[in-house]
Amino acid sequence: MKITFKGDYALKAVLDLAMYYDKPQSVDEISKRQDIPYKFLEQILLQLKKGRFVKSLRGRNGGYVLAHKPAQITLGQIVRFVDGPVEPISCAFAAKPSPCNYSGNCVLREVFCDIGKMIAEKVDNITFENLKERQKKNIAKTKKYLDYSI
Amino acid sequence: MKITFKGDYALKAVLDLAMYYDKPQSVDEISKRQDIPYKFLEQILLQLKKGRFVKSLRGRNGGYVLAHKPAQITLGQIVRFVDGPVEPISCAFAAKPSPCNYSGNCVLREVFCDIGKMIAEKVDNITFENLKERQKKNIAKTKKYLDYSI
DNA sequence: TTAATATCCTACTAACTATATCGGAATAAT
DNA sequence: ATTATTCCGATATAGTTAGTAGGATATTAA
Ligand code: FES
Ligand code: FES
C-alpha cells in the first residue's frame, strides 16, 4: 500500500464531509479547511462521485455530501478506489493475483500475502465514523490545552 | 510499502545467495534460476554491494556471495534499501516524518503510523535464514508430491 | 600470452505515474 | 442577469520504473 497525495486528499475530503455530515460542503470550503489544491480536489471529488462515495448538488449553494453514513464507509474502500490494491505487490493482490514463475511455492509470495492480509484487515475495519469520533476527541484535547495555556 | 520489480528481484537474489551460501554465484546463474533480466540484475547486485549486503569476486569463476549470514539479514533491510521506507506515506515515516499542517492531531496520521509499525515489525522479524528454511520445506513438499504423481 | 569469463560503471530510453493547472460549459439560486 | 457552484476534457511537467547498450576492468584457465 502506497498512499499518494491524491489518496491522502481523498481521505481528508471524505473525513471532512463526515464531520459536516448534515449540509453540503463546497469544493472551496473543503479545499481551504483541508489545505488541498482547489482544482485537484475538484477532480478527486468527481472521481469519488463516480465511485458513488459522495453525491453532489449543482448550482449556487451546491456542494458535496456523503452518499452513505460515515459508519458505512471504510478507509480501505477509499484507499483501494483511489490508490489501488492495498497489498504490497501484484502477486499478493487479493483480487487478481499475478504470481511469478515459482508461483506455487514462492516463499516471498507467502510473506507478501501475510502482510497484505494484515493491512487489509486494518483498513477494512476503520470506518469514517471511527475517524470522525477520534478527530473530535483530538480537537477537544487541543482546545483544552489551548484553554489552559491562555 | 510498495515493492517494485527491482525490490522483488533484489529479495530473490539475496534469497538465492542464501540458498547457495557456500560458493559464489554468478549473475548469469542467479538470473536464470530466478528468472530476472540479466542486465537489470547486474545493476541490482552492484547496488546491494554498495549497501554491503553482498560481496563480489571478480574475474573468471567469480560471482557474488552474501556479506553476512542469512540469519543476520532481514527482509526489511533489503526492502528499505531498494524500495525505500515501508510506511505507506511520508507523514508516517519512522526515519524522517513530514506531517501535514494538522500534524499534531491528524487522525489519518495516527492510522498510517499504526499500519507502518505493523509492517515494520513484520519485515524486521523475517530473516533470510527463515526464508531459506521455508523455501527448503516447500521444495521438499513439491518433490514429495512429484514423487507420488510419477 | 591469450582467450574466456566475470564484475564494474555510466549513460540512455520508453512508458508510465503523480501532481497538478487551465479554460470553459452546464446548472441553479438570488 | 448575475453569481456561485459543479462538471468535463485537455494540457503540462517532473519524477519513477523497468529495463537496455556499450564498453572498461579484473581474474583465471588453457
Ligand atoms: S509469486 Fe511474488 S515473488 Fe514469487
Ligand atoms: S499528517 Fe499525514 S495526513 Fe495529516
Side-chain angles (χ1 to χ4, degrees):
Chain A
M1 181 171 61
K2 192 198 156 198
I3 292 166
T4 63
F5 273 65
K6 189 176 176 186
D8 190 36
Y9 292 160
L11 294 173
K12 280 176 173 165
V14 172
L15 179 54
D16 192 271
L17 292 178
M19 298 289 289
Y20 297 84
Y21 185 57
D22 40 347
K23 59 173 180 292
Q25 304 295 315
S26 71
V27 175
D28 192 54
E29 290 170 306
I30 304 172
S31 155
K32 278 171 183 155
R33 270 200 300 265
Q34 302 295 333
D35 195 32
I36 302 171
Y38 180 89
K39 277 293 194 177
F40 200 8
L41 179 58
E42 212 176 35
Q43 273 192 358
I44 293 166
L45 283 166
L46 243 13
Q47 191 181 334
L48 287 173
K49 192 190 164 193
K50 272 193 190 167
R52 318 231 174 190
F53 295 104
V54 302
K55 286 178 192 170
S56 68
L57 297 166
R58 299 188 66 170
R60 197 163 175 169
N61 299 337
Y64 287 91
V65 288
L66 289 188
H68 313 279
K69 287 180 189 162
Q72 289 166 337
I73 308 176
T74 68
L75 194 74
Q77 284 169 3
I78 305 297
V79 170
R80 286 202 189 82
F81 182 70
V82 177
D83 279 338
V86 298
E87 292 81 10
I89 191 170
S90 65
C91 66
F93 287 176
K96 189 174 162 282
S98 53
C100 72
N101 287 353
Y102 287 91
S103 49
N105 49 2
C106 177
V107 285
L108 291 176
R109 188 182 183 213
E110 290 171 19
V111 172
F112 298 151
C113 285
D114 279 1
I115 294 171
K117 278 174 199 160
M118 270 183 15
I119 298 172
E121 185 158 0
K122 189 88 181 178
V123 298
D124 289 333
N125 282 303
I126 297 175
T127 70
F128 280 86
E129 181 65 27
N130 302 149
L131 293 173
K132 182 180 158 185
E133 290 310 313
R134 289 174 65 172
Q135 182 81 298
K136 278 186 185 169
K137 276 184 199 164
N138 275 3
I139 290 169
K141 222 184 290 177
T142 304
K143 197 172 173 306
K144 201 176 165 189
Y145 168 77
L146 287 174
D147 283 351
Y148 275 117
S149 70
I150 284 166
Chain B
M1 180 171 63
K2 191 199 157 198
I3 292 165
T4 63
F5 272 66
K6 190 176 175 185
D8 190 35
Y9 292 160
L11 294 173
K12 281 177 174 164
V14 172
L15 179 54
D16 192 272
L17 292 177
M19 298 289 288
Y20 296 83
Y21 185 56
D22 40 348
K23 60 172 182 290
Q25 304 295 314
S26 71
V27 175
D28 191 54
E29 289 170 306
I30 303 171
S31 155
K32 278 172 184 157
R33 268 199 301 265
Q34 301 295 333
D35 196 31
I36 302 171
Y38 179 90
K39 277 293 195 178
F40 200 8
L41 179 57
E42 211 176 36
Q43 272 193 357
I44 294 166
L45 283 166
L46 280 174
Q47 192 180 335
L48 287 172
K49 191 190 164 191
K50 272 193 190 165
R52 316 230 177 191
F53 294 105
V54 303
K55 286 179 192 170
S56 68
L57 297 166
R58 300 187 65 169
R60 197 160 176 172
N61 298 337
Y64 286 91
V65 288
L66 289 187
H68 313 279
K69 287 182 189 160
Q72 289 167 334
I73 308 175
T74 68
L75 195 73
Q77 284 170 2
I78 304 297
V79 169
R80 286 202 189 81
F81 181 70
V82 177
D83 280 337
V86 299
E87 292 81 9
I89 190 170
S90 65
C91 64
F93 287 177
K96 189 174 162 282
S98 54
C100 72
N101 288 354
Y102 286 90
S103 49
N105 50 3
C106 176
V107 285
L108 291 177
R109 188 181 184 214
E110 291 171 18
V111 172
F112 297 152
C113 284
D114 279 0
I115 294 171
K117 278 173 198 158
M118 269 186 10
I119 297 172
E121 185 158 358
K122 189 88 182 180
V123 297
D124 289 333
N125 282 303
I126 296 176
T127 70
F128 280 87
E129 180 66 25
N130 301 150
L131 293 173
K132 182 181 158 184
E133 290 310 313
R134 288 175 65 173
Q135 182 80 297
K136 278 186 186 170
K137 275 183 199 165
N138 275 3
I139 290 169
K141 222 185 288 177
T142 304
K143 196 173 174 303
K144 200 177 166 190
Y145 168 76
L146 286 174
D147 284 351
Y148 275 116
S149 71
I150 285 167

